[in-house]
Amino acid sequence: LSACGSGGGGGGPADASGKVEGDITFQTWNLRANFKDYFDGVIADFEKKYPGTNVKWIDQPAEGYADKISADAAGGTLPDVVNVSPDLVAPLAGAGLALDLDKAAAKYRKQYLAGAWASHRIPGMTGTYAFPWYLNTGPLFYNKTLFEKAGLDPERPPKTYGEVFDAALKMAKATDGKVATLANVPTIEDFGRYGVALMNEKGTAFSFNDAKGVELLTKYKELYDAKALDPQALTATPESSGRKFLTGAVAMNPGSALDLGNFRKQAPNLYENIGITDQITSTGSANMYVMGVMVNARTERTPAAVAFAAFVTDAERQMSFAKKVAIFPSTAGSLDDPYFTEEDGTDETRVRVAAAKSLKNAVNYTPVLFSEQMKTALRNEVAKALQGRQSPRQALDNAVAACDKLLRQRG
């Protein structure tokens, strides 16, 4: 889909206030294998609530999902209700294929967390183009033993980037460069959490090469030279970073309840001395990943499609789904449920409670227009800066130029 819309609406009826009736199609993203019974139940409940409706559920594999949506959009075969992420919504909204919920379904807005509702807004356009569905985030694990050995307070882990940079340099000095604090190079989310303005307001150009962006990358270069950033960070994967943390070569790393289970089996000493803290952020808001449910602006069944999208993502359904899989609801008030606030001694609950706390005011920092190709371009330029092959300023100028070029190509 090559879509450069002017921000106008779609071709279907934008009014969702009519009678909820008729046949609609609902497409999910690789969910049938594990959650067939759940979705069959949701659809049955909806059809019971609204007699005369019929929902046909389609599930697409994870691989090639974006291409499938593009092909459907170009061919006029886009389903009525579609499971999307913000980056997938952007070209559809630009082409007038995503219903503007601020116009068609504004009454639902207050049912969701403000940051989640805002995550499907597109720079340069007015409106919100998908219902927020489930959220995810992750706390940071840290090794209390390593902190203590380096003279750092194991009960007061760093919270901001300034604090983590100071702690990392102390850790590297105390261990003669044998223990790094961080295992990953900065990503676009790091620039966002540092307080860098990632794009201009119109969404026509990237801006993470400003003074604050250069400041962040310069600091990472200092960490890399001091071995406070793991030497293999340039080629790190989540798996390799996890192994480094497991063996005590890295002091802090993001993770999940599954990781805690691995630590308990493979590194009991680490498990006994594990700390769980919030993501590092200098803005006061953690990063959230969000999934959404979009309504096709060209559907012939707007009332039914909007009603079903709202039904799938309402508090009751989201809470039920969150208890089947390690995700978090985007509905207002749901994170105050004891399921997300009270610990019961299990690893899963420890991580769930820590993550849920940070989600209430979290932000989706990744720009909706930031593609996988752009992520690669940024990573390549950051690597050159850390290796000393170019300055942090030059690296970010190059990355922004590459990302702006890709942005122009997509529309």
Side-chain angles (χ1 to χ4, degrees):
L1 176 67
S2 178
C4 301
S6 60
D15 184 7
S17 63
K19 187 178 181 184
V20 176
E21 61 183 357
D23 298 352
I24 58 171
T25 50
F26 168 49
Q27 178 171 288
T28 52
W29 188 350
N30 195 34
L31 294 175
R32 188 184 293 273
N34 294 321
F35 306 108
K36 183 178 184 302
D37 291 347
Y38 171 78
F39 285 103
D40 283 345
V42 169
I43 289 168
D45 289 345
F46 178 79
E47 292 174 347
K48 183 179 178 182
K49 181 176 180 180
Y50 297 103
T53 59
N54 180 65
V55 180
K56 180 185 177 184
W57 175 30
I58 307 162
D59 188 65
Q60 300 290 354
E63 192 173 342
Y65 189 70
D67 294 336
K68 175 70 172 123
I69 285 182
S70 293
D72 282 345
T77 56
L78 197 66
D80 300 296
V81 181
V82 187
N83 177 190
V84 288
S85 54
D87 60 308
L88 295 181
V89 168
L92 297 170
L97 291 172
L99 190 67
D100 179 2
L101 301 179
D102 285 338
K103 289 181 180 175
K107 68 177 183 179
Y108 295 105
R109 180 176 174 175
K110 290 182 180 177
Q111 296 178 21
Y112 302 89
L113 294 169
W117 184 266
S119 64
H120 291 93
R121 291 185 181 141
I122 317 298
M125 296 179 68
T126 56
T128 300
Y129 294 93
F131 285 97
W133 195 6
Y134 56 90
L135 310 176
N136 225 326
T137 190
L140 269 180
F141 293 145
Y142 68 100
N143 187 321
K144 289 185 176 182
T145 303
L146 293 178
F147 268 62
E148 201 163 15
K149 284 182 180 176
L152 299 165
D153 187 344
E155 301 307 323
R156 296 187 65 190
K159 300 283 188 187
T160 67
Y161 279 90
E163 289 173 1
V164 83
F165 293 151
D166 290 345
L169 291 172
K170 287 176 185 172
M171 180 78 69
K173 188 173 182 182
T175 63
D176 201 22
K178 289 187 175 65
V179 178
T181 298
L182 302 175
N184 296 286
V185 299
T187 62
I188 197 71
E189 292 90 351
D190 286 297
F191 285 91
R193 288 191 306 239
Y194 193 63
V196 178
L198 304 178
M199 292 193 85
N200 66 13
E201 285 187 12
K202 293 181 179 178
T204 55
F206 290 95
S207 56
F208 53 84
N209 59 336
D210 66 3
K212 203 163 185 64
V214 173
E215 180 181 277
L216 178 68
L217 187 51
T218 301
K219 204 69 192 178
Y220 265 89
K221 167 67 172 157
E222 184 183 344
L223 297 189
Y224 186 74
D225 291 343
K227 295 187 177 175
L229 177 64
D230 185 68
Q232 267 103 47
L234 303 181
T235 56
T237 63
E239 293 75 22
S240 66
S241 301
R243 285 193 296 273
K244 292 261 182 167
F245 183 74
L246 185 77
T247 60
V250 168
M252 299 188 84
N253 202 55
S256 68
L258 292 176
D259 295 307
L260 274 187
N262 290 338
F263 301 155
R264 189 171 58 225
K265 291 176 194 166
Q266 299 174 32
N269 288 339
L270 170 64
Y271 177 76
E272 287 172 16
N273 294 285
I274 201 88
I276 302 177
T277 189
D278 296 336
Q279 291 176 18
I280 302 302
T281 176
S282 296
T283 66
S285 293
N287 183 60
M288 72 162 74
Y289 301 94
V290 58
M291 273 290 173
V293 176
M294 184 199 92
V295 175
N296 183 349
R298 307 233 169 120
T299 178
E300 295 179 4
R301 301 289 186 183
T302 303
V306 168
F308 183 72
F311 190 81
V312 170
T313 61
D314 72 13
E316 182 182 343
R317 251 60 55 179
Q318 287 212 45
M319 197 69 203
S320 173
F321 196 38
K323 290 183 178 180
K324 295 181 182 300
V325 61
I327 49 92
F328 299 88
S330 62
T331 37
S334 295
L335 295 174
D336 295 324
D337 188 281
Y339 184 72
F340 296 111
T341 59
E342 295 178 6
E343 294 203 21
D344 60 8
T346 65
D347 293 336
E348 290 79 5
T349 307
R350 286 174 72 189
V351 175
R352 183 169 66 237
V353 169
K357 188 175 70 172
S358 71
L359 272 172
K360 288 185 182 180
N361 70 338
V363 172
N364 178 27
Y365 285 108
T366 306
V368 297
L369 301 173
F370 203 71
S371 66
E372 289 300 319
Q373 286 174 292
M374 294 173 189
K375 290 176 187 176
T376 300
L378 174 59
R379 188 180 180 90
N380 289 345
E381 297 300 333
V382 163
K384 291 176 194 172
L386 296 180
Q387 291 168 329
R389 291 158 58 195
Q390 61 187 13
S391 69
R393 155 73 56 198
Q394 188 63 55
L396 292 183
D397 284 348
N398 290 347
V400 162
C403 291
D404 283 347
K405 183 178 179 182
L406 288 165
L407 187 64
R408 289 191 297 271
Q409 286 172 359
R410 71 183 283 175

